[in-house]
Amino acid sequence: MKKYTYTDKKDTRSGFGAGLLEVGRNNENVVALCADLVGSLKMNDFIKEFPERFFQIGIAEANMMGIAAGLTIGGKIPYTGTFANFSTGRVYDQIRQSIAYSDKNVKICASHAGLTLGEDGATHQILEDIGLMKMLPGMTVINPCDYNQTKAATIAIADHHGPVYLRFGRPVVPIFTDADQKFEIGKAWMVNEGADVSIFATGHLVWEAIQAGEQLAELGIDAEIINIHTIKPLDEEAVLRSVAKTGCVVTAEEHNRLGGLGDSIAQVLAKNNPSPQEYVAVDDSFGESGTPAQLMEKYGLNAANIVAAAQRVIKRK
């Protein structure tokens, strides 16, 4: 098992803030909109440097999506910012009609995704957003794993024409990817090559998958771990190449078991190479209030559950 270490922890939303500032410096067409959550979205540095390119919309998320769509007509590249729940569920009609259907070049940037929003509870957490967004034709869906990857993704999406959903989180997590990485939309990242089981992880679960891989190695199990940071378009070639080698799959995500990364991979396998699969995800329920660590433990989104899933699926080969 390849060793990964870290010297610092940061929240992925701070990676978004850093990336937004850098892409703003590099591209004068980049503008930012926020729905009264500037501090939570780490937009302050962008606003300080480019006040004329920032629009505070207030608690009017649907209006924010409409304004963002309109700004693209003049050649602007709008980055919208609010919590993932309000970026998707609250404004799905506006995204579908004004952005996706019209193929508008809007970057929907969503913080506080999944369970790890924490103490604000189920009404503010969202575990359905990946499913909602990946079903929209033409929508790119990205879920990076750490600060550096989120920063790189934030910069990369400015050069991609078309609507993008960029999902990131609130808690501090280890930084283990390269600071100078090049982010390739739709290209999976091989974390560790292995022969016994394929573990496809996304977002906060990538680090948990790495920890699981180390524990599996101690048990004599050689896990292949792949970071699926782009859920749509999915790197089907990487998925099929890995499963052809290992013969079984574990998917790991901070999302509902229904409609997320696991279902996307299951669909690819069903069409090309039916294989045993286990899901590490929230099992069709809402979340609740608690610290991020407590919630990840209660809902089974951790290394221990990935290890158990890998052991189960290997027996099914």
Side-chain angles (χ1 to χ4, degrees), residues 3-31:
K3 293 294 183 182
Y4 286 86
T5 59
Y6 68 91
T7 57
D8 196 9
K9 291 184 176 183
K10 283 188 180 180
D11 46 339
T12 49
R13 60 180 172 155
S14 289
F16 165 70
L20 180 64
L21 177 61
E22 184 166 330
V23 78
R25 289 170 173 168
N26 295 337
N27 190 329
E28 64 182 10
N29 285 319
V30 168
V31 297

Side-chain angles (χ1 to χ4, degrees), residues 58-303:
I59 306 175
E61 293 86 355
N63 192 35
M64 180 171 68
M65 295 302 170
I67 292 171
L71 285 165
T72 67
I73 297 171
K76 301 303 180 185
I77 304 172
Y79 282 60
T80 68
T82 185
F83 288 178
N85 195 6
F86 309 147
S87 290
T88 57
R90 178 171 287 182
V91 294
Y92 197 67
D93 180 58
Q94 285 72 28
I95 293 173
R96 183 184 186 275
Q97 304 295 91
S98 298
I99 296 175
Y101 177 66
S102 305
D103 191 34
K104 293 294 191 293
N105 194 29
V106 176
K107 315 308 174 186
I108 302 166
C109 304
S111 183
H112 294 58
L115 286 172
T116 51
L117 172 59
E119 291 85 349
D120 287 354
T123 58
H124 282 55
Q125 296 159 355
I126 191 164
L127 298 165
E128 313 90 56
D129 56 318
I130 290 173
L132 287 168
M133 300 306 280
K134 77 177 187 179
M135 287 191 295
L136 291 170
M139 182 68 70
T140 293
V141 179
I142 297 173
N143 188 37
C145 64
D146 71 355
Y147 172 94
N148 286 340
Q149 194 169 80
T150 306
K151 180 181 177 180
T154 303
I155 295 167
I157 61 177
D159 293 328
H160 170 82
H161 181 82
V164 173
Y165 179 58
L166 177 63
R167 181 189 205 249
F168 42 92
R170 176 187 185 184
V172 294
V173 294
I175 302 172
F176 58 95
T177 68
D178 293 338
D180 59 350
Q181 66 189 275
K182 179 182 178 182
F183 188 89
E184 295 185 65
I185 296 173
K187 184 69 173 177
W189 173 48
M190 178 66 72
V191 178
N192 184 73
E193 293 192 34
D196 296 331
V197 58
S198 297
I199 301 175
F200 299 106
T202 188
H204 293 147
L205 270 292
V206 176
W207 180 252
E208 295 297 325
I210 291 170
Q211 304 307 298
E214 294 179 354
Q215 295 173 31
L216 287 166
E218 294 175 359
L219 299 172
I221 297 172
D222 187 17
E224 180 148 295
I225 302 169
I226 298 179
N227 172 9
I228 305 290
H229 52 66
T230 307
I231 295 169
K232 183 185 177 185
L234 183 65
D235 190 345
E236 296 187 9
E237 182 180 342
V239 171
L240 293 172
R241 184 169 57 245
S242 178
V243 179
K245 179 169 52 173
T246 66
C248 62
V249 174
V250 172
T251 55
E253 58 191 310
E254 188 185 346
H255 190 268
N256 194 337
R257 175 177 53 81
L258 305 174
L261 170 65
D263 276 3
S264 290
I265 288 178
Q267 187 177 114
V268 172
L269 296 177
K271 289 190 296 182
N272 297 281
N273 183 13
S275 306
Q277 179 174 343
E278 293 282 338
Y279 291 69
V280 174
V282 176
D283 191 15
D284 194 25
S285 74
F286 291 102
E288 61 185 280
S289 296
T291 67
Q294 288 171 334
L295 294 170
M296 295 287 270
E297 175 73 22
K298 176 168 182 175
Y299 289 87
L301 308 183
N302 56 23

